[in-house]
Amino acid sequence: MRVTTTLSLAAMLIAATVTAATPTDAPRITTEKATITATVVASGLDHPWGIAILPDGRMLITERSGRMRIFEQNGKPSKAITGLPKVDARDQGGLLDVAIDPDFARNGLVYWSYAEAGPGGNSTAVARGRLNAKKAKLDNVQVIFSQKPKVASTLHFGSRLVFDRTGALFITLGERFDYTIREKAQTLDSDIGKVVRITPAGDIPNGNPFTTRPGALPEIWSLGHRNAQAAALNPNTGDLWVIEHGPLGGDEINIAKAGLNFGWPVVSFGKNYDGTPVGTGLTEAPGMTQPIYQWTPVIAPSGMIFHSGRAFPGWKGNLFVGGLKTRVLVRLELSGNTVVKEERILGELGARIRDVAEGADGHLWIITDDANGKLVRVKPAT
């Protein structure tokens, strides 16, 4: 099915209550005068989760049930790629993010995250393999990381994959939505509620902050995260930005620098789902880093990019974030590390936006999280 709609950004603006990390600094919601075209190029995807654009413009897309396929820009899919390990596809678990190696043109390596079953339950794992696109096959597949410990939960896998400028791989990891386990987001003896950083082969790279700390897992980069399902490298600074789900309120944008503690579950801008306070009931504490921005009510963030400005020059450097609960694409204007304006677009699609990517021409590609998920191309109206 192919459906094209031209949407005025003014028409797509959704009124929302937005609160900055400092509540008195809420940015204005603005409306652009430009128009965009959103075209559904493929449908029938089974809860698509991650999208990675190949050098030739085709796209690798994961579906939570365990299928990875290559999509042409016209929406035509390949057959399912073979060679992936078995995934634990229950609730929020399954086949999750996908990324290509920075040197993909030479080595053909693809990386993906998934829920891996094992003794004690399951956890987020990352594997890599060499893509044979002609045969829709991954060769020489190896698991390069498994979150420790495994937990009897089907929730909060985190799971975005981002390469830094040195070629090391960041992996965001959830705290598994277990009240007896989530406290481990504050300890260094597990990967619960962490961002970790490994080499492409799964070793420990130079620069990790806790490699000499007794009892600490050397892969840990930052801690105190809840469930980060959005992550991207800031092209100006090289810093990793992550956006994590809050509970009842308190979705957070954090700049995940080495060794920082972002507070979960000691402090939060949200409440537990039963309405009780999280941890101390406070929003800040000594030694814990404040978010640069937060949403209450939540948007349920998933997927993010910094836009190059190639297709939308007026949006150069803007942050685009998928919204699951709000069913919008969120556009944030930045001044350095400060969010100064927010706009919510593509609301007329009425879809949970799971991930967003940018093609070589600057057009945006989004996937929608549904049993009949869609691949949508977003470009300037002509």
Side-chain angles (χ1 to χ4, degrees), residues 111 125-128 143-146 148 161-164 166-171 173 191 195-206 208 218-221:
Y111 301 74
V126 177
R128 73 171 184 176
V143 178
I144 60 171
F145 174 80
S146 290
K148 298 180 286 291
L161 306 176
V162 178
F163 283 95
D164 71 12
T166 73
L169 178 63
F170 288 115
I171 307 164
L173 299 168
D191 296 312
V195 171
V196 301
R197 179 173 174 264
I198 60 173
T199 71
D203 299 320
I204 305 303
N206 293 329
N208 280 13
E219 65 266 23
I220 294 174
W221 179 259

Side-chain angles (χ1 to χ4, degrees), residues 1 5 39 121 159 187 207 211 251 283:
M1 178 179 70
T5 56
T39 303
S159 209
T187 68
T211 55
D251 289 346
T283 59

Side-chain angles (χ1 to χ4, degrees), residues 304-361:
M304 64 186 283
I305 60 162
F306 290 87
H307 183 52
S308 69
R310 284 189 291 268
F312 303 97
W315 291 348
K316 183 176 181 179
N318 285 190
L319 194 62
F320 285 87
V321 184
L324 296 169
K325 182 178 177 61
T326 47
R327 298 175 180 261
V328 294
L329 185 65
V330 178
R331 181 180 69 85
L332 300 175
E333 294 185 18
L334 306 173
S335 176
N337 291 339
T338 301
V339 176
V340 294
K341 296 178 183 178
E342 171 175 337
E343 184 174 21
R344 302 184 178 194
I345 61 177
L346 298 184
E348 291 185 11
L349 292 177
R352 288 163 48 88
I353 295 179
R354 173 59 75 179
D355 200 11
V356 55
E358 181 181 333
D361 55 7

Side-chain angles (χ1 to χ4, degrees), residues 11-351:
M12 290 185 297
L13 183 63
I14 298 176
T17 301
V18 186
T19 308
T22 303
T24 56
D25 294 337
R28 292 182 296 117
I29 299 175
T30 60
T31 304
E32 294 289 333
K33 296 179 180 179
T35 57
I36 62 176
T37 297
T39 303
V40 177
V41 301
S43 58
L45 286 76
D46 184 8
H47 294 281
W49 213 95
I51 178 171
I53 299 180
L54 299 170
D56 63 7
R58 294 182 298 167
M59 289 156 280
L60 280 171
I61 296 178
T62 58
E63 294 164 88
R64 204 172 64 209
S65 57
R67 182 169 57 180
M68 183 189 297
R69 292 184 288 176
I70 301 172
F71 283 76
E72 307 286 343
Q73 292 200 8
N74 64 7
K76 181 181 178 181
S78 72
K79 61 183 180 180
I81 293 172
T82 61
L84 284 75
K86 184 178 180 180
V87 306
D88 188 2
R90 294 179 294 148
D91 292 342
Q92 295 177 5
L95 183 58
L96 302 171
D97 204 15
V98 60
I100 63 172
D101 194 277
D103 199 16
F104 176 86
R106 182 186 64 83
N107 62 31
L109 289 175
V110 174
Y111 301 74
W112 62 96
S113 58
Y114 62 102
E116 175 191 60
N122 57 29
S123 67
T124 300
V126 177
R128 73 171 184 176
R130 192 179 308 276
L131 178 65
N132 184 329
K134 183 177 293 186
K135 295 183 178 180
K137 180 183 179 184
L138 286 159
D139 295 318
N140 303 320
V141 170
Q142 59 182 144
V143 178
I144 60 171
F145 174 80
S146 290
Q147 182 188 30
K148 298 180 286 291
K150 294 228 176 334
V151 177
S153 169
T154 58
L155 304 173
H156 288 199
F157 292 89
S159 209
R160 289 298 172 189
L161 306 176
V162 178
F163 283 95
D164 71 12
R165 289 176 174 176
T166 73
L169 178 63
F170 288 115
I171 307 164
T172 70
L173 299 168
E175 38 70 280
R176 307 311 314 279
F177 195 73
D178 185 314
Y179 280 58
T180 66
I181 295 294
R182 72 182 192 178
E183 303 297 329
K184 285 187 172 292
Q186 285 294 315
T187 68
L188 296 175
D189 59 352
S190 83
D191 296 312
I192 297 294
K194 308 297 194 302
V195 171
V196 301
R197 179 173 174 264
I198 60 173
T199 71
D203 299 320
I204 305 303
N206 293 329
N208 280 13
F210 301 113
T211 55
T212 61
R213 182 82 62 89
L217 296 181
E219 65 266 23
I220 294 174
W221 179 259
S222 59
L223 64 152
H225 298 281
R226 185 171 184 265
N227 189 29
Q229 292 187 338
L233 214 64
N234 186 311
N236 295 321
T237 65
D239 290 331
L240 179 70
W241 287 39
V242 299
I243 310 181
E244 56 196 83
H245 291 260
L248 284 177
D251 289 346
E252 296 182 0
I253 302 179
N254 291 305
I255 302 177
K257 294 186 178 182
L260 293 185
N261 181 345
F262 293 95
W264 182 263
V266 178
V267 297
S268 175
F269 282 86
K271 296 180 179 180
N272 292 314
Y273 290 114
D274 61 5
T276 59
V278 172
T280 63
L282 302 176
T283 59
E284 58 184 310
M288 296 181 176
T289 301
Q290 289 278 279
I292 65 167
Y293 196 67
Q294 65 96 7
W295 286 275
T296 299
V298 300
I299 65 167
S302 185
M304 64 186 283
I305 60 162
F306 290 87
H307 183 52
S308 69
R310 284 189 291 268
F312 303 97
W315 291 348
K316 183 176 181 179
N318 285 190
L319 194 62
F320 285 87
V321 184
L324 296 169
K325 182 178 177 61
T326 47
R327 298 175 180 261
V328 294
L329 185 65
V330 178
R331 181 180 69 85
L332 300 175
E333 294 185 18
L334 306 173
S335 176
N337 291 339
T338 301
V339 176
V340 294
K341 296 178 183 178
E342 171 175 337
E343 184 174 21
R344 302 184 178 194
I345 61 177
L346 298 184
E348 291 185 11
L349 292 177

